Amino acid sequence: MKAKLIQLNEQQFFIRFVPIILLLIMGIGFNIATGGRFGTAANLNLIVTQAVIVATVATGAVFIFGTGNISIALGASTAITSVIMARTYLRTESVPMMIVVAIVVAVLIMVTTALLSTVLNVSVMFVSIVMMVLIQGIMQTVLGAGTLSLPYAMTSALTRGNFHFWAFLIYFILCAIIFHFTGVGRSIKFLGSNKFCAEQSGIFLNKYLIIAFIISGVGIGLAAIMTSIRTGTIGVSTAASLNMDVVLAIVLGGMSVFGGTRSYIYAGVLGALTVTLLNNGLLMVGISPTILQLVRGIFFLTLIFAGQKRPDRLPDKEV
């Protein structure tokens, strides 16, 4: 069975079209199961709005995954950025200042993770575990059981102006250009495909890892703003499930967790829609949150199981 799954996962048809087919099947299935309530305009709008936040973080995370590394502190980084961003707005009442602070803080957090990994020569995953625990501790100290609330007038104005859609669209286009049409993207995919060969060609992981984390940090900063204006409050549970959603989104979007030539910017967006649709649909048919987490875990492990063969080849024309 494992060999069969790996064989399927190596085929371009499986990589490109199965995620789309899966998304359509799930949508049709949930709509039938809920008697049409799932497919209403209001619910679809809710799904898209929720998916935009996951898609923004996942789009930036594609750069990190593309190098063959995994960060599990994306959700925690988004949460602490939301706290600092909210405090900045409450002090200055300036939206531009709030946006700048959110992006700068998120980039600094991500660069710190990348630098610790490269300087100490420790895997990104282990460093991100430390960062996640540290950030959660800071969140508990700063907020405790309380929350930060942003003024409704500000959050509603940004929502009516479709800040989240415009921010995501601009960020996605820039990421797509960098990842698929520049030397930075080609180098990242080369490193993910074959790190040894890439470094023999003068493409070193440390440099591109920092670039990947900077780009991802911009997405986290934007996602922190989107999360805050959507809920209006920030607490210790803010973005608690975001990291799992992002990793699951990238895998469900058809991208290998080992990165390389099978890395696509659209994977984060497609996967984000699938994850959000799955969460929404299961809750609407009456599945408990505990069972929901179990189903998400089964999806994740199955896809990781199928894609655990690391691509070991030189870059081809897909790079």
Side-chain angles (χ1 to χ4, degrees), residues 65-76:
F65 278 63
T67 65
N69 288 280
I70 298 175
S71 173
I72 60 171
L74 301 174

Side-chain angles (χ1 to χ4, degrees), residues 87-248:
R87 286 189 178 275
T88 300
Y89 180 80
L90 294 174
R91 282 176 179 258
T92 65
E93 297 187 349
S94 169
V95 171
M97 179 64 75
M98 178 187 75
I99 295 172
V100 170
V101 167
I103 293 174
V104 170
V105 167
V107 168
L108 288 176
I109 292 171
M110 296 303 286
V111 168
T112 300
T113 303
L115 285 175
L116 286 173
S117 174
T118 55
V119 171
L120 301 177
N121 196 25
V122 177
S123 166
V124 168
M125 187 174 71
F126 295 127
V127 174
S128 65
I129 291 174
V130 174
M131 290 295 290
M132 180 182 68
V133 174
L134 177 62
I135 290 172
Q136 288 174 341
I138 294 173
M139 291 278 291
Q140 288 283 355
T141 302
V142 172
L143 295 177
T147 59
L148 285 174
S149 297
L150 291 169
Y152 176 75
M154 184 273 285
T155 58
S156 61
L158 289 177
T159 302
R160 287 195 305 274
N162 290 318
F163 171 85
H164 45 309
F165 288 120
W166 286 112
F168 165 72
L169 184 62
I170 294 170
Y171 180 64
F172 177 80
I173 291 172
L174 291 176
C175 285
I177 292 172
I178 294 171
F179 198 71
H180 291 295
F181 301 105
T182 70
V184 171
R186 286 191 291 272
S187 298
I188 285 174
K189 284 182 277 187
F190 194 177
L191 285 163
S193 291
N194 194 320
K195 177 188 168 186
F196 177 78
C197 190
E199 294 195 336
Q200 290 297 310
S201 303
I203 300 172
F204 295 100
L205 177 62
N206 290 354
K207 172 184 174 183
Y208 289 97
L209 196 60
I210 291 174
I211 293 174
F213 272 76
I214 289 174
I215 295 171
S216 180
V218 175
I220 286 175
L222 294 175
I225 300 168
M226 296 175 193
T227 302
S228 301
I229 65 175
R230 178 171 172 267
T231 61
T233 59
I234 300 102
V236 292
S237 62
T238 294
S241 64
L242 182 59
N243 205 86
M244 179 65 176
D245 285 342
V246 169
V247 177
L248 192 54

Side-chain angles (χ1 to χ4, degrees), residues 233-297:
T233 59
I234 300 102
V236 292
S237 62
T238 294
S241 64
L242 182 59
N243 205 86
M244 179 65 176
D245 285 342
V246 169
V247 177
L248 192 54
I250 289 176
V251 177
L252 282 171
M255 180 173 162
S256 168
V257 291
F258 295 115
T261 56
R262 285 171 43 191
S263 303
Y264 310 98
I265 281 294
Y266 73 80
V269 180
L270 182 59
L273 281 171
T274 306
V275 170
T276 311
L277 185 148
L278 179 68
N279 294 342
N280 182 282
L282 289 177
L283 289 174
M284 287 190 74
V285 297
I287 299 295
S288 71
T290 302
I291 301 298
L292 171 63
Q293 295 303 322
L294 176 63
V295 172
R296 283 154 49 93

